[in-house]
Amino acid sequence: MRKMTLFKLFGINLKITTKIIHMTTRYKTKNYNAVYTKLYEINALKLVFPLQQFHRKYCFQSFRGDETDSDSEDIEKKRDIKSTILQDNNDILAIKISECKSLQEIFDLLQNNKNKLNWKNISMAIAMVRELQIIYYRLCMFEKNLNSDITPEYNFENILTNNDFLNLINLMEEHYEFMNIQCLSYSLLCLHKIGVDINSTVSLKLSHKLQKILMITPVEEIESCILSRFIVTIVTHRDLLGLYILKDIWPIVLKKMELCDTYEDIKHISICLYNLPWFLNKSVMDNFISKIKCNLLNKPQHDEKIKCIVKVLRLINSPYWINQNTNLSRSLLLSLVGAIKQIALYDMIQLQMIIVKQSEPYELFEEIHNETSKWLSKADDDTDITVLRLLSCIVPSSSASQRKQIESLLRKQFLLNNSFSHLCIGPLFNIIRNLKTSDLEICNAYWSSVLDWLISGKPSIRENHKLLRICNRYMNFNNNMSGTYRHYKFENQMINWLTEELDHGVSAIIPSKFTKIFSFFISYPNKNIGYEIPEVMVKKVLDTVGQYNIYDCYIVSKGLNTAFINRKNKTALPMFLDQYVRLCTALNKRSLDILNQEPNLSISQLNSLYRGYNHRYNVKEPRLFYKILERYKNYTSEDFSSRTIRELTYNLVTSDWYDAELLDKCLEYFIKNHKYLLAENVEKILTLFFLYGVNSEQFIEFLPYATEIINRDKFKMSGLNFMRASLALCYFYSLSTPIKDYLFSVEFLEKLDDELNNCYAKATYPLKVRQLLMILNRAVCIDYPEFDVPWFHTKYCEEIQSLVPKHTGSFYLEVEKKLNQLIINKGYLKSNSFSPYGYKLDFELILNDTNQLKSTNTNEKLILLLLNEKDLRKTDNEMRGLSRLKQRHLEILGYRVIWIKKSIWNSMFMTEPEAKLSYLKNLIWQKP
């Protein structure tokens, strides 16, 4: 009797069987003792796969890594395929097929009963092929990651050329006319997930048949899961045929949405809407939101409710809607607090992604992080695709020690052979990007493997939308590494493919695709491809810029910014500079047109418009800038979120602008929602207020909450961010004792050392950290003497002072000349001196009460400091935070401080012969 098992089919040996034993314990399989006994007692070559005993709670959703989902793949417990697609069926052969443990068993049953086959048997067979495929990829991916000797011709990646499977496809074409609606939808989805082309004959026949049935069946009789299966499959068409089919299905979805009132219905309608973003509008979303509020909020906790919430959250956190339902998102997320242990791993990964996007709420963020971090310790020996997905979510909030562990894991598992499964590409990207590792070997191994996969893979993996997704990843990766990382071989090959796509594909006539190609093309010049932009591409942008939306403008602006930075050392590029100015000018005009034509932009859209403008920093357009700021005034604090405030503060700092009214709205949101905030967002707004040296009533009210949040998360923040927050709190006299104790502890200093040793920008980051640590030490010593913190930067300051060059600017030299005319005894005037604690002093004088200069210790010490444009706020020409802090500290040290603004020194009234001398006299010898 021929009885081949799944593992025998793939040549699994005893070593692999032993690994599966280990994995079953890690994935908390049901009936562990039975599995353990079976795997060890039965010879590996005769092993029957215990399909229904494996617990799916900790398994990956789909081997393809699709962003769409299948209602059949997110079940935690074992699935009864028979009852799912053939309810109340007593077909003996279908039952036997549903109990098969291997592909060969299925194919043998079909072959031995080929004269008795019916549509029920065929439906069950295709469902079980998909079921076994999920098992294979979930449990054998570990072996594939380490390049095991699994025979290629026997694995599921080659199933589309398997003769037995092709015979099964032919049988489906013969029997599909008799299938009921449930089997049609399930079979169509399974074919898609297995990898059968959606435009193949069998898929087209099934989809057309299912479409006809849906069109004539009353909505009340259509199960929502059938709609979600159908839409998830059809949406992958990515062509007019798919849109044509979906156009007819959309009214059915809307009618079903009006009727849905169960967790199951809401979940599947959420899947439908998520996969049909082109059909969604505010009215539809408002209706669905009403359904959610009625059926999900304030309801008892239930397993089905949790799954439903995850799908709903994914929908309302999709790009366009993410900032329009902030309060609802937070309410749904908070309803999951305390239930994280009940959530399947894949759902937990999705939740983590949503929370990272929202940057709140803290309670759930912390709970998920604590739960998922436990898996890090279990990933050392058997990392697979599932754990990689999980780690990709842990990294952004992980501690320095966890990051080191994850980096070591990558080095151990994926650099040994410099190769890994293409299924790991997405998770690995998120991990390496957020690690910001200084180990170029890891970065090079990753991008080399991506390139090898693209070169050696099928042409379908180089379709334009897939290439553009990878290009966007590379640009984000490069941006996260502050532009310090380049993989020239990858860049050159991608540009070759993109050029071919422009010449022979459709991207040249689709603005949203062309802008992405153009952005990548101009961003990474080198000697092989040249440093000038092809004029034909520039002309195309200028000709079509009127069709660009906000995101298109942002993408091109981002590319121009990167292009300018990467060419900054190439001074002899007049053609590029001319192109740069023309493109930026056109984008400014288009952005202004969008603002005039679109009165109801969301905050997220406005932030993107603002950020795009900041990327074009060399070509300013004041009308556009002020119009963007004015548009923010239309929003109230209720319209903001942690995410939008984070983006806004970044834009304000980049454009060097302080807007009190706008920031008060942000603070109002933060005060109202302080218990949900993450420390990294609080640090951003603290730093902004410190940089500008301002505060407000709202800010003073927010400070106690900010101090509490920074103290709560001090162990998780990066060293640089924690020091920035601490300096801002110090400036506003809000530095608490616990923060101070940690700031100057051995633990924190060791953490800083680790960060410096592993940072990616070793040319700048260590200098930045060391300088900030000195400024903090000085601030605490002077502002908080009661803390009794020692001054331990004397030697560092001396080293810095020895390197500081004498001022040679015209402003400084002219002031020095006038002072020398005023002061006869040169012993009472010092230039380029330093105060205690290392402050640089432009001019230091000694005065007495008789307005004569004398060298006595009792006389007043006077400091003249020069203020350039960079030391002043653009909005009101007042001093920034660092200058104000410097003045405060010098006054505490006993100096009288006088500032001389460059703008006043060079003003019109100073052109008179004695005006500048008179001005200095009045400043130095002020009349009471």
Side-chain angles (χ1 to χ4, degrees):
M1 178 180 177
R2 187 183 180 189
K3 187 175 182 181
M4 295 186 67
T5 66
L6 178 66
F7 290 113
K8 181 178 179 182
L9 180 62
F10 298 130
I12 304 298
N13 56 25
L14 185 58
K15 175 182 175 183
I16 297 179
T17 307
T18 307
K19 288 183 180 293
I20 290 182
I21 283 288
H22 179 70
M23 295 179 71
T24 58
T25 63
R26 194 186 79 199
Y27 289 120
K28 299 183 180 179
T29 55
K30 292 180 66 179
N31 195 4
Y32 165 77
N33 289 330
V35 176
Y36 183 96
T37 303
K38 197 165 190 71
L39 288 175
Y40 271 84
E41 289 184 353
I42 298 180
N43 183 285
L45 297 179
K46 300 177 181 178
L47 175 65
V48 177
F49 188 71
L51 174 65
Q52 302 298 346
Q53 292 184 334
F54 277 86
H55 195 292
R56 301 281 172 73
K57 183 172 183 179
Y58 297 99
C59 288
F60 181 48
Q61 175 237 13
S62 167
F63 79 95
R64 294 173 62 86
D66 292 343
E67 294 178 0
T68 55
D69 43 345
S70 157
D71 60 302
S72 65
E73 290 185 21
D74 58 2
I75 307 300
E76 294 185 22
K77 298 187 170 116
K78 68 177 185 179
R79 286 197 300 238
D80 187 349
I81 299 298
K82 179 175 66 67
S83 62
T84 300
I85 66 172
L86 294 174
Q87 300 166 358
D88 302 323
N89 176 59
N90 294 319
D91 188 293
I92 296 176
L93 183 55
I95 294 173
K96 287 183 178 179
I97 293 173
S98 70
E99 294 172 350
C100 286
K101 308 300 188 299
S102 72
L103 280 178
Q104 198 59 50
E105 280 190 58
I106 297 173
F107 296 147
D108 286 348
L109 276 174
L110 295 178
Q111 178 64 30
N112 296 335
N113 297 276
K114 57 184 178 182
N115 296 326
K116 305 176 185 177
L117 296 177
N118 57 42
W119 64 274
K120 299 176 183 178
N121 312 144
I122 304 305
S123 300
M124 184 61 67
I126 201 69
M128 285 305 301
V129 169
R130 171 59 185 157
E131 183 74 2
L132 293 176
Q133 187 184 41
I134 294 173
I135 298 298
Y136 167 71
Y137 276 97
R138 285 174 174 170
L139 296 183
C140 296
M141 186 52 60
F142 169 64
E143 291 301 321
K144 293 175 67 59
N145 284 342
L146 297 183
N147 299 318
S148 72
D149 297 326
I150 295 176
T151 310
E153 60 267 22
Y154 287 130
N155 66 38
F156 268 103
E157 292 178 355
N158 299 91
I159 193 171
L160 299 182
T161 58
N162 183 294
N163 289 329
D164 290 325
F165 180 74
L166 293 177
N167 290 335
L168 176 57
I169 294 298
N170 292 332
L171 287 171
M172 179 162 284
E173 284 193 55
E174 295 175 13
H175 293 86
Y176 82 96
E177 286 283 359
F178 306 102
M179 291 183 183
N180 62 24
I181 189 171
Q182 190 73 251
C183 285
L184 278 171
S185 67
Y186 203 92
S187 298
L188 184 62
L189 180 65
C190 286
L191 288 174
H192 162 58
K193 291 291 184 178
I194 289 169
V196 176
D197 189 346
I198 190 64
N199 291 312
S200 65
T201 303
V202 63
S203 294
L204 288 175
K205 287 182 177 179
L206 264 65
S207 61
H208 289 154
K209 172 70 174 177
L210 182 55
Q211 182 185 5
K212 289 179 183 178
I213 296 177
L214 288 172
M215 297 298 293
I216 62 175
T217 304
V219 175
E220 297 82 1
E221 299 177 16
I222 300 175
E223 293 184 37
S224 56
C225 62
I226 293 173
L227 286 174
S228 70
R229 291 170 189 157
F230 188 48
I231 288 173
V232 163
T233 305
I234 298 301
V235 79
T236 57
H237 266 285
R238 292 184 178 269
D239 56 18
L240 292 177
L241 175 61
L243 286 176
Y244 179 79
I245 296 173
L246 294 170
K247 172 184 66 69
D248 292 336
I249 300 302
W250 177 242
I252 302 175
V253 174
L254 292 180
K255 292 176 183 177
K256 192 66 181 177
M257 184 182 73
E258 294 297 329
L259 298 174
C260 69
D261 56 2
T262 66
Y263 295 144
E264 189 72 8
D265 284 343
I266 293 175
K267 181 181 77 172
H268 290 296
I269 294 300
S270 296
I271 293 173
C272 293
L273 298 182
Y274 177 81
N275 286 286
L276 297 174
W278 320 280
F279 295 91
L280 278 178
N281 56 39
K282 193 172 188 307
S283 175
V284 173
M285 280 298 291
D286 286 345
N287 290 339
F288 188 60
I289 294 302
S290 298
K291 287 282 182 182
I292 294 170
K293 290 178 179 178
C294 293
N295 293 282
L296 283 184
L297 295 181
N298 303 316
K299 298 288 184 179
Q301 202 66 281
H302 186 275
D303 285 349
E304 287 303 315
K305 178 187 174 183
I306 292 173
K307 287 195 163 296
C308 179
I309 288 176
V310 173
K311 300 305 179 190
V312 168
L313 281 168
R314 193 181 62 161
L315 168 64
I316 63 179
N317 281 277
S318 52
Y320 185 76
W321 306 104
I322 187 170
N323 294 309
Q324 302 192 33
N325 297 286
T326 303
N327 291 331
L328 176 60
S329 288
R330 187 193 302 120
S331 297
L332 291 173
L333 286 168
L334 289 172
S335 69
L336 297 176
V337 172
I340 295 303
K341 292 182 179 180
Q342 305 171 32
I343 296 180
L345 178 60
Y346 178 69
D347 290 337
M348 197 181 299
I349 291 170
Q350 286 192 313
L351 275 178
Q352 181 82 341
M353 292 177 176
I354 290 167
I355 293 173
V356 168
K357 286 182 181 179
Q358 286 287 355
S359 295
E360 61 178 60
Y362 168 78
E363 293 94 327
L364 195 62
F365 191 94
E366 183 71 1
E367 189 174 345
I368 289 180
H369 179 76
N370 291 339
E371 187 66 24
T372 53
S373 293
K374 297 175 184 177
W375 286 85
L376 184 55
S377 61
K378 303 177 182 180
D380 189 45
D381 296 322
D382 51 0
T383 303
D384 64 2
I385 184 68
T386 308
V387 176
L388 279 176
R389 283 258 171 171
L390 182 59
L391 295 183
S392 70
C393 296
I394 294 175
V395 173
S397 59
S398 60
S399 64
S401 60
Q402 286 179 319
R403 287 177 181 241
K404 288 177 65 177
Q405 188 178 351
I406 293 171
E407 185 173 329
S408 174
L409 181 67
L410 292 180
R411 196 176 291 109
K412 176 182 177 182
Q413 298 281 26
F414 300 104
L415 296 185
L416 293 176
N417 300 299
N418 199 26
S419 179
F420 43 81
S421 167
H422 72 272
L423 303 178
C424 303
I425 285 175
L428 275 174
F429 169 75
N430 290 327
I431 294 172
I432 299 172
R433 176 192 177 189
N434 288 305
L435 273 178
K436 297 185 178 181
T437 176
S438 60
D439 189 341
L440 293 182
E441 189 179 4
I442 292 178
C443 302
N444 290 334
Y446 174 77
W447 289 109
S448 295
S449 292
V450 172
L451 183 59
D452 291 343
W453 169 63
L454 288 171
I455 292 174
S456 61
K458 300 175 183 178
S460 60
I461 69 173
R462 295 188 295 275
E463 293 174 358
N464 58 69
H465 64 279
K466 296 176 182 177
L467 281 181
L468 290 177
R469 185 185 303 126
I470 293 173
C471 286
N472 187 58
R473 282 179 177 173
Y474 182 83
M475 293 185 74
N476 287 334
F477 185 88
N478 181 268
N479 183 60
N480 267 34
M481 302 286 279
S482 298
T484 59
Y485 178 78
R486 298 284 296 273
H487 194 292
Y488 292 102
K489 186 177 179 181
F490 174 85
E491 293 171 8
N492 292 341
Q493 184 58 62
M494 290 300 294
I495 286 175
N496 289 339
W497 281 326
L498 294 177
T499 302
E500 183 180 350
E501 168 62 23
L502 288 176
D503 292 339
H504 305 291
V506 298
S507 297
I509 59 174
I510 303 176
S512 62
K513 292 183 182 294
F514 178 76
T515 53
K516 294 184 180 73
I517 292 177
F518 179 78
S519 181
F520 186 88
F521 195 97
I522 67 175
S523 292
Y524 305 110
N526 60 54
K527 61 183 180 181
N528 294 327
I529 63 173
Y531 291 88
E532 306 287 0
I533 306 175
E535 182 61 26
V536 64
M537 297 183 75
V538 175
K539 188 175 186 304
K540 184 168 185 61
V541 173
L542 296 176
D543 290 343
T544 60
V545 71
Q547 304 174 40
Y548 290 179
N549 58 28
I550 291 174
Y551 188 67
D552 296 330
C553 291
Y554 167 74
I555 286 294
V556 176
S557 300
K558 179 181 177 183
L560 287 170
N561 181 50
T562 306
F564 191 88
I565 292 172
N566 286 336
R567 290 171 175 84
K568 62 184 177 182
N569 295 326
K570 306 293 179 181
T571 55
L573 292 172
M575 180 179 174
F576 168 75
L577 294 176
D578 174 69
Q579 293 170 332
Y580 179 87
V581 171
R582 284 188 288 145
L583 289 167
C584 288
T585 302
L587 290 167
N588 282 337
K589 183 178 183 302
R590 175 56 186 158
S591 298
L592 194 58
D593 291 341
I594 291 174
L595 277 176
N596 292 330
Q597 296 165 8
E598 301 288 343
N600 299 315
L601 295 177
S602 67
I603 294 181
S604 181
Q605 289 175 307
L606 202 56
N607 279 337
S608 295
L609 203 63
Y610 193 177
R611 190 162 188 175
Y613 175 78
N614 284 335
H615 279 316
R616 306 186 293 273
Y617 61 89
N618 288 301
V619 183
K620 293 300 183 183
E621 173 53 74
R623 287 182 303 161
L624 173 60
F625 178 70
Y626 290 118
K627 200 169 186 68
I628 290 173
L629 291 175
E630 186 63 30
R631 187 62 68 87
Y632 280 109
K633 307 296 171 64
N634 296 337
Y635 303 110
T636 67
S637 62
E638 296 298 321
D639 298 313
F640 285 93
S641 68
S642 288
R643 178 187 176 88
T644 54
I645 292 174
R646 181 189 178 100
E647 293 171 351
L648 176 57
T649 53
Y650 174 85
N651 285 331
L652 288 171
V653 170
T654 303
S655 59
D656 192 20
W657 196 258
Y658 171 74
D659 190 307
E661 181 183 350
L662 182 54
L663 286 170
D664 276 349
K665 290 181 180 179
C666 297
L667 288 168
E668 186 178 340
Y669 175 87
F670 272 6
I671 291 169
K672 183 178 179 181
N673 301 287
H674 63 90
K675 61 183 179 180
Y676 309 126
L677 303 180
L678 300 177
E680 60 180 24
N681 296 324
V682 173
E683 178 271 320
K684 296 294 183 293
I685 203 160
L686 283 175
T687 299
L688 183 145
F689 274 86
F690 166 65
L691 286 176
Y692 295 127
V694 294
N695 59 34
S696 64
E697 291 184 7
Q698 296 274 25
F699 184 72
I700 298 301
E701 183 181 352
F702 174 63
L703 271 175
Y705 299 123
T707 304
E708 180 183 344
I709 293 168
I710 297 299
N711 183 53
R712 181 197 69 196
D713 289 353
K714 60 180 179 285
F715 300 111
K716 300 172 188 172
M717 298 176 70
S718 73
L720 189 63
N721 286 343
F722 178 65
M723 288 193 293
R724 283 173 175 164
S726 299
L727 182 59
L729 292 174
C730 187
Y731 177 80
F732 294 108
Y733 289 111
S734 297
L735 189 69
S736 65
T737 300
I739 293 177
K740 179 269 300 182
D741 289 340
Y742 178 63
L743 183 61
F744 297 103
S745 66
V746 174
E747 180 184 358
F748 179 70
L749 295 178
E750 288 178 347
K751 176 182 177 180
L752 276 184
D753 286 338
D754 283 342
E755 288 188 8
L756 297 181
N757 290 332
N758 296 286
C759 70
Y760 59 96
K762 291 190 180 295
T764 57
Y765 189 79
L767 297 176
K768 191 182 299 184
V769 168
R770 186 69 189 274
Q771 179 72 5
L772 185 54
L773 185 60
M774 182 276 290
I775 294 173
L776 252 175
N777 186 201
R778 177 171 61 197
V780 173
C781 287
I782 297 175
D783 286 327
Y784 293 88
E786 67 274 17
F787 283 164
D788 198 26
V789 172
W791 170 244
F792 52 87
H793 277 88
T794 302
K795 185 176 180 181
Y796 171 76
C797 288
E798 290 173 353
E799 292 173 356
I800 295 298
Q801 291 166 16
S802 66
L803 300 174
V804 174
K806 179 177 171 59
H807 287 301
T808 57
S810 59
F811 178 31
Y812 180 88
L813 293 177
E814 193 173 358
V815 173
E816 185 179 35
K817 179 181 177 181
K818 296 299 181 184
L819 284 173
N820 283 325
Q821 293 176 16
L822 279 177
I823 300 170
I824 299 173
N825 190 335
K826 301 302 183 287
Y828 303 135
L829 172 64
K830 292 181 181 180
S831 302
N832 291 297
S833 60
F834 292 88
S835 76
Y837 296 100
Y839 272 118
K840 175 74 166 58
L841 308 178
D842 294 321
F843 303 102
E844 183 179 358
L845 296 86
I846 300 176
L847 302 178
N848 66 6
D849 293 336
T850 60
N851 294 340
Q852 299 296 321
L853 295 173
K854 295 171 58 179
S855 61
T856 59
N857 294 332
T858 59
N859 292 328
E860 179 183 23
K861 293 182 291 185
L862 176 66
I863 302 298
L864 267 71
L865 300 176
L866 306 185
L867 282 172
N868 291 289
E869 288 83 353
K870 64 182 179 61
D871 302 312
L872 302 170
R873 297 194 297 264
K874 286 184 179 179
T875 45
D876 54 11
N877 212 35
E878 292 298 322
M879 288 191 300
R880 295 173 178 273
L882 277 171
S883 298
R884 290 179 181 273
L885 185 66
K886 182 175 182 177
Q887 176 174 340
R888 186 171 85 193
H889 287 170
L890 289 174
E891 289 174 348
I892 291 174
L893 293 172
Y895 295 98
R896 177 161 69 93
V897 182
I898 294 175
W899 295 94
I900 302 175
K901 293 182 180 179
K902 185 176 182 179
S903 57
I904 294 178
W905 187 260
N906 293 329
S907 59
M908 288 292 292
F909 80 89
M910 288 289 192
T911 57
E912 295 295 326
E914 298 298 320
K916 290 181 178 178
L917 276 175
S918 176
Y919 176 71
L920 285 175
K921 283 182 182 179
N922 292 333
L923 284 177
I924 296 171
W925 292 286
Q926 296 177 0
K927 296 180 180 180

